[in-house]
Amino acid sequence: METEEHTNRFGAFARMLYGGVKMETRRSLQAQFNTRDAFPLVLIAQSQVGREGLNLHKACRTVAQFHSEWNPGVVEQQIGRVDRIESFWEAKAVEWKSTRWDNSQGDKEYQGPKIIIKPIIFEGTYDAFQYDVSKKRR
């Protein structure tokens, strides 16, 4: 039932997209996630579900990868969910450029907003090995 998928144990803050979530629900969650100051604030997408067909760019600029991939192209697909024309991070970059950031502020390393990629890897695991291989391939 549609309402059950929207009222699961994650509540309003976070929602999960996995293979069993109906397409209509995926679209609804995508629209809600892309609405600034609305819920869910966190969208957890299974790797297969999060590769293609999701546009999460209106309110997101951080991708946390919970599962390492062998293929760097798959990682790029995942990042591509937030790397779009008229994305949240692009709006931040335009805003940053328009303020004509003054390098005299002491933060010489700051080069504007970026998409943040956070791979979640536990040392000593197979995922760590897989991540290292994938990183070398990139």
Side-chain angles (χ1 to χ4, degrees):
M1 182 176 188
E2 197 78 23
T3 356
E4 289 174 3
E5 289 186 35
H6 283 283
T7 59
N8 63 23
R9 64 189 173 106
F10 291 104
F13 179 76
R15 285 301 209 296
M16 187 182 315
L17 293 179
Y18 57 95
V21 176
K22 296 176 193 167
M23 190 53 74
E24 309 85 58
T25 304
R26 289 183 196 181
R27 288 189 191 113
S28 173
L29 286 173
Q30 173 180 288
Q32 290 169 355
F33 180 79
N34 276 326
T35 303
R36 285 208 193 150
D37 303 322
F39 291 100
L41 296 178
V42 173
L43 197 58
I44 301 167
Q46 183 183 30
S47 182
Q48 295 285 16
V49 174
R51 287 184 192 174
E52 298 173 2
L54 280 179
N55 296 312
L56 305 175
H57 61 291
K58 296 290 184 179
C60 181
R61 70 181 187 111
T62 303
V63 176
Q65 296 170 318
F66 291 95
H67 182 268
S68 188
E69 295 283 350
W70 285 109
N71 184 345
V74 171
V75 175
E76 287 301 315
Q77 279 286 0
Q78 292 169 342
I79 295 167
R81 303 308 93 217
V82 298
D83 186 10
R84 296 260 195 269
I85 294 173
E86 298 179 3
S87 66
F88 176 67
W89 79 268
E90 182 184 56
K92 290 289 184 189
V94 169
E95 178 184 314
W96 174 78
K97 284 173 88 175
S98 70
T99 60
R100 300 180 187 235
W101 183 75
D102 182 357
N103 206 11
S104 66
Q105 294 175 8
D107 190 1
K108 295 177 182 171
E109 299 298 314
Y110 185 66
Q111 298 175 358
K114 300 197 177 356
I115 294 175
I116 301 162
I117 311 301
K118 299 264 186 195
I120 312 298
I121 307 295
F122 294 99
E123 254 182 71
T125 64
Y126 185 75
D127 277 353
F129 169 73
Q130 191 175 13
Y131 176 74
D132 288 339
V133 170
S134 178
K135 189 174 176 183
K136 288 175 188 170
R137 289 178 178 174
R138 284 192 303 264

